[in-house]
Amino acid sequence: MLVAAAVCPCPPLLVPDVAAGAAPELDAARAACADALGLLAAARPDLLVVVGPDAETGPTAYAQGTPGSFRGFGVERDVTLGQARDGVVGTLPPSLAVAGWLLERTGWADAPIEGLGVGEPLAVDRCIEIGSGIAARTERVALLVMGDASACRTLKAPGYLDERAEPFDAEAARALETADLAALKGLDADLARELMVSGRAPWQVLAGAADGAALRGALLYEDAPYGVGYLVAAWS
């Protein structure tokens, strides 16, 4: 059963080495992510599953110790998903590499970790089904859910300005703040794709995992630096 969840954005800029001189601009987001992960640790899960957007439709599994890197962003900075292990194959997608950095930064050592990549085309029903399966894995499961809201909040945003972006993000933020599973399940996948929302599929995996768990939500951070919506939430 799902006992806790943290929702964090996944821009590589969250890693100070990548952001360089702009790093202070996301200090509040980093602090909120640390607080959310602290609540995960306090829940004492038997298993932590990290879910994030992936280039492949998926779901694609990543074992504990899978390596990731920010070298593609011009920084010689490597991470692993949890404690490094010999013989692990594969490479983390950027979203799970950011998660690996967050876990390393907060000193996570409380439970085994598994990673799961879900691609933007993954259907809503399939996301919910995957989440339900995760929750059934063991008695106490926690989720770290990575993903961004829309990338169309300003003229300089990656997707340019779209007037639909702010209302979409506001509804996603409300749903995460109140742990409104129906609202998360009801997020429009087509609209999310048009608004370049990377978090839609991971959030709907969370909604499937939380069925019957009666968790309460809290929104710890909401902003749109660089024209991209970033949300941090904690469910417990």
Side-chain angles (χ1 to χ4, degrees):
M1 176 178 287
L2 188 70
V3 295
V7 176
C8 295
C10 59
L13 287 173
L14 207 59
V15 180
D17 290 346
V18 177
E25 296 178 21
L26 290 180
D27 279 349
R30 294 183 193 98
C33 290
D35 289 343
L37 265 65
L39 290 173
L40 283 188
R44 299 185 180 277
D46 300 322
L47 172 67
L48 174 64
V49 179
V50 184
V51 183
D54 201 343
E56 302 297 326
T57 300
T60 305
Y62 297 92
Q64 179 167 332
T66 300
S69 172
F70 298 102
R71 294 173 186 267
F73 301 95
V75 174
E76 293 189 7
R77 180 70 163 85
D78 299 320
V79 295
T80 58
L81 188 65
Q83 187 174 359
R85 293 182 175 181
D86 294 333
V88 177
V89 298
T91 304
L92 296 173
S95 67
L96 297 189
V98 174
W101 176 81
L102 286 172
L103 291 164
E104 176 186 288
R105 180 174 183 255
T106 54
W108 181 276
D110 295 82
I113 301 172
E114 296 180 6
L116 191 70
V118 290
E120 184 277 326
L122 202 62
V124 175
D125 289 349
R126 182 67 177 122
C127 292
I128 295 168
E129 179 185 11
I130 291 168
S132 179
I134 290 172
R137 290 281 306 279
T138 186
E139 187 174 342
R140 300 183 63 80
V141 180
L143 278 178
L144 173 54
V145 182
M146 309 297 294
D148 300 339
S150 67
C152 303
R153 291 284 293 273
T154 66
L155 293 173
K156 294 183 178 181
Y160 197 65
L161 176 64
D162 191 313
E163 294 181 354
R164 302 171 297 173
E166 189 170 352
F168 183 98
D169 289 359
E171 174 59 11
R174 187 202 64 78
L176 291 170
E177 181 175 27
T178 59
D180 187 336
L181 305 188
L184 286 178
K185 293 176 182 179
L187 291 175
D188 188 320
D190 292 332
L191 177 58
R193 180 174 61 255
E194 292 172 12
L195 296 177
M196 302 173 65
V197 178
S198 69
R200 189 275 306 173
W203 297 339
Q204 289 177 330
V205 170
L206 167 61
D211 266 332
L215 300 180
R216 294 184 178 182
L219 191 65
L220 307 182
Y221 178 87
E222 178 184 9
D223 202 356
Y226 320 116
V228 181
Y230 297 151
L231 303 170
V232 180
W235 290 13
S236 59

